Amino acid sequence: MTGVGAMTPWGADAPSTWAGLLDGRSGVRLLDKEWAADLPVRVAAGLAVHPASLLPRAEARKLVRGEQVAILSAREAW
């Protein structure tokens, strides 16, 4: 059996992602932070939860954001 793991704009797990999709909610949002003010595009589908908040601090500090997302998704699938 294959597991499912997801970190998406709808949530930090597969059930919340599935619920968001079934509800027809959009994961795309306006970028309203200061760092995005000069970007040519102001919409994005960011994560609902910052991955570092779900990992032990020491582990999160050693990993870049993409690695954090991959580890959390793999752990959920496992």
Side-chain angles (χ1 to χ4, degrees), residues 15-27:
S16 60
T17 298
W18 186 243
L21 289 169
L22 291 177
D23 291 343
R25 288 184 278 132
S26 175

Side-chain angles (χ1 to χ4, degrees), residues 6 8 11 16-17 25 36 42-43 45 48-49 51-52 55 61 72 75 78:
T8 68
S16 60
T17 298
R25 288 184 278 132
R42 300 286 309 274
V43 295
V49 179
L55 292 168
R61 293 184 69 192
L72 290 167
R75 286 181 183 169
W78 178 261

Side-chain angles (χ1 to χ4, degrees), residues 6-12 17 25-33 35 42-51 65 69:
M7 290 277 303
T8 68
W10 296 281
T17 298
R25 288 184 278 132
S26 175
V28 177
R29 294 178 179 77
L30 179 64
L31 295 174
D32 56 359
K33 304 282 187 207
W35 60 264
R42 300 286 309 274
V43 295
L47 297 175
V49 179
H50 196 287
R65 187 176 171 101
V69 172

